[in-house]
């Protein structure tokens, strides 16, 4: 029972997070806060003290992709 109690205390400490902030460049981001990325197709957030990025998925279609955007506008023609 003591081992289970110790595990529960450790899990609660993990959930609370001692310092769940992330630093990118010269700025500090809070847990869950979005972190900028140079790649417009990546969505990055601060998670458990680390910057985690997920690739944005686009619909499979033909269309114009505006500058600074990740996905094309389906059915559009380049301007």
């Amino acid at each position: 029972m003591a081992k289970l109690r110790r595990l529960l205390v450790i899990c609660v400490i993990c959930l609370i997070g001692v310092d769940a902030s992330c630093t990118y460049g010269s700025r500090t981001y809070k847990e869950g806060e979005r972190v900028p990325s140079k790649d417009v197709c990546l969505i990055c957030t601060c998670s458990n003290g680390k910057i985690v990025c997920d690739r944005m998925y686009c619909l499979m279609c033909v269309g114009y992709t505006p500058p600074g955007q990740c996905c094309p506008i389906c059915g559009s023609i380049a301007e």
Side-chain angles (χ1 to χ4, degrees), residues 9-51:
V9 170
I10 292 170
C11 290
V12 170
I13 291 170
C14 291
L15 290 174
I16 294 171
V18 176
D19 182 14
S21 64
C22 303
T23 302
Y24 179 74
S26 60
R27 182 157 175 225
T28 299
Y29 297 88
K30 296 177 184 174
E31 174 71 19
E33 192 173 5
R34 195 156 177 188
V35 179
S37 170
K38 291 180 182 180
D39 183 340
V40 296
C41 296
L42 291 179
I43 299 172
C44 301
T45 54
C46 177
S47 178
N48 294 320
K50 296 180 182 176
I51 298 173

